[in-house]
Amino acid sequence: MSPLELWGGAECTVNRVGDRYRDQTIETGHHDRLEDLDRIAALGVTALRFPVLWERVCPDDREDCDWGWSDTRLARMRALGMRPIAGLVHHGSGPRRTDLLDPEFGGKLGDYAARVAERYPWIADWTPVNEPLTTARFAALYGHWYPHARDEGSFWRALVHQVEGVVCAMAAVRAVRPDARLIQTDDLGKTYGTPGTQAQVAYDNDRRWMCWDLLCGRVVPGHALWERLAGFGLAGKLEVLADAPCPPDVIGINHYLTSDRFLDENVAAYPPAMRGGNGSIAYVDTEAVRVLDPAPDGLANALAEAWARYRIPIAITEVHNGCTREEQMRWMRDAWEDAEAARAAGVAVQAVTAWSLFGASGWNTLLTEPGIYEPGVFDVRGGEPRPTAMVPLLRALARGERLAHPALHGEGWWRRDLRVTHHPRPHPNPGTRFEKTGEVRRTVLIAGATGTLGQALARSCEVRGLAYVLASRAMLDLKDGASIAAALDTHQPWAVINAAGWVRVDDAEDEEAACFAGNCLGATELAMAAAERHIATVSFSSDLVFDGALDRPYTEADPCAPLGAYGRSKAALEAAIGGLPGRHLVVRTAAFFSPWDQHNFAVHVVEALAAGRRFAAADDQVVSPAYVPDLCNAVLDELIDGTSGILHLANRGAVHWADFATSVAEACGLPARLVDAVPGRTLGWKAPRPRHVPLASQRMPSLETALQAFATAPEVLERIERAGQGAGALQSA
């Protein structure tokens, strides 16, 4: 058997909602970067799922095709030695002259495929329609995408029409290239459920195979779903497909952590928003990984079941986890190991595909409205694609090696107890999973055990399964070189995060020497000692290194010009660490707010307004607040990626303090009228504050998103309730 290959794919969906088309290659910038192909080839990718999409090439007139984008990129791919897997429709419904419910959809797609094949007769591998079953569900059963139907008959027609499109397309392609291979993708999971949902479970588990069953000519009388489709008037089309089957040469399995489902008729055990049903019974449809105990072996099970059903070679054609960096890496590692284990058991798995190479935009809204960007192997926030830690991982896998990155140690969240967010249900058929043994888990050493940031970083490491040591001053005293050395030698961390230091901005004006020692001298000595031991470090600076004279957001390249003692200590820290050998990251950030502690501006706003008290905030000082949970996750991602130098990390947005207080009030449903906008000089601050220091930062969510997360945090809701009860008691008295 040939070695397991690494394939790749950039998210390329072109879907339609109403009259609007949405193009992922444009949203991620991939459309405009020819050099992306060189980045992909450098990973060791041998084949690339490449979009020659109908809606992009031939959107208006069937006679008018624009091949410019495809010509340039396919030529570059040939020069780089990557073979394309040509895709013609990717979660789309075709140009405006057709749609998934058009009985002529298949023939029209076949006509377009003939033109593509004539243009590129050298392309051997084809995926004419990506995920027909998923697309039919989203477009014709749930109504999210065009043509927005919401009934089972439309769903089945949309699926059959797409399968007809695959058949017609492959006939047209093979008329030009007889040996062309069909690599047919679809999302493949399994549905589990409680006793009362077993009829729906059985239906779901039959339905998941239907794309491949139709292509293989298996949907004939006697098939579990033949009568159902025939009842919707599709018997004639089924007979045509069965008489001239077009079986895939490769089964392309797309599998996500949401692919396996669990149905539960005990709806009262779940939040009301999760409750649904099929018209006959009510049930909740949720991710099996969030319920089943032990966790389902989703991808491994999908590989085994697909092989047993079809005995056709398999490729994992999408594997992506929109999560923190180490979890993205662990998911890819697990997928590769599942593929290798399947191969060892005799399953003909050919490749694993690194999907969403440049990330994806808006999938949290199912592409129905603007949404968040999820980084991929490269992070395109800020414009130029930035390699993440996924890059060395993929390069190692492509070489048949293993990457020894400390962040890979341990299990992904889908294997840990924290995955269960609902009432656990016993797995009906648990497999045998072998735990990883013999791992030496190197730690992240966090200095600053009593501080807001140190505690928050430890909390984030705990959730993310990253081994850490939270060091108190007794364990790691930044004023004592011997203490620093002992801590590093005892714990032998792979990284050190210095969250300790002087934080009292106004007191620093009278105690500048102490502030300087805490923020610069000790931090520099820690970084020097870490560098001697080849340990990466993270330190924290502040927006107060700037004087606020600019009328634009500050970038990392802007020179420091602090107004006060605290800012001077941080500017000195930046200069000192910037001159050291080794890998050091200095994070500039500002205006912390967090649900996890009481010593931050947003919590003070909540407690005052919930109690009915007025709250004064400056209206002449603009900042970029940083939501501490977002900040911690961003810092850990950057650390894992190996980022060094100076980096701004704050939530995207700029507000003055009074606007920030008003936004907190509105997000939390508190009376914003109690916020008093006042000049900063009236608040009794001793240290000078710059008037305008927003930070240019692209690697954290928007401030609006952060405020919503803050407002719905259990700790904040509890504070609001407690403060409101206190105010009520005072009024009663």
Side-chain angles (χ1 to χ4, degrees), residues 137-138 141-142 144 187 189-194 197 200-205 207 257-278 281-292 421-422 425:
R137 286 167 52 213
F138 284 15
L141 186 59
Y142 309 146
H144 298 316
D187 184 285
K190 187 169 185 175
T191 300
Y192 305 85
T194 51
T197 66
Q200 184 67 37
V201 167
Y203 169 73
D204 288 358
N205 284 329
R207 185 181 67 178
L257 283 160
T258 56
S259 295
D260 287 346
R261 311 301 299 178
F262 186 85
L263 309 184
D264 193 340
E265 82 266 23
N266 302 296
V267 296
Y270 299 84
M274 296 181 65
R275 301 169 190 174
N278 60 8
I281 61 169
Y283 56 81
V284 163
D285 179 344
T286 190
E287 301 95 332
V289 71
R290 295 296 191 184
V291 178
L292 286 184
T421 55
H422 309 299
R425 304 287 184 179

Side-chain angles (χ1 to χ4, degrees), residues 432-512:
T432 301
R433 186 171 61 86
F434 297 99
E435 300 288 343
K436 295 178 175 64
T437 58
E439 282 191 335
V440 179
R441 299 191 67 189
R442 295 184 66 192
T443 64
V444 176
L445 183 62
I446 304 170
T450 60
T452 295
L453 191 53
Q455 292 280 342
L457 284 162
R459 183 172 184 152
S460 294
C461 285
E462 187 74 31
V463 169
R464 294 172 61 156
L466 293 169
Y468 70 95
V469 173
L470 182 57
S472 65
R473 186 174 297 176
M475 182 188 300
L476 174 58
D477 186 350
L478 294 182
K479 297 178 181 178
D480 183 348
S483 174
I484 292 172
L488 295 179
D489 292 339
T490 298
H491 298 288
Q492 298 186 16
W494 65 274
V496 174
I497 304 178
N498 180 16
W502 186 283
V503 297
R504 303 186 308 278
V505 174
D506 290 306
D507 290 347
E509 295 302 304
D510 294 326
E511 302 176 65
E512 183 161 2

Side-chain angles (χ1 to χ4, degrees), residues 314-333:
I314 295 170
I316 301 170
T317 40
E318 287 184 23
V319 57
H320 171 68
N321 182 19
C323 200
T324 54
R325 189 74 71 243
E326 76 289 340
E327 300 288 33
Q328 287 179 319
M329 297 168 71
R330 291 167 180 166
W331 183 242
M332 183 69 194
R333 172 202 63 192

Side-chain angles (χ1 to χ4, degrees), residues 112-131:
Y112 172 66
R115 295 166 184 270
V116 180
E118 290 166 3
R119 186 81 178 186
Y120 310 115
W122 54 274
I123 295 180
D125 292 342
W126 297 76
T127 301
V129 180
N130 173 68
E131 291 194 1

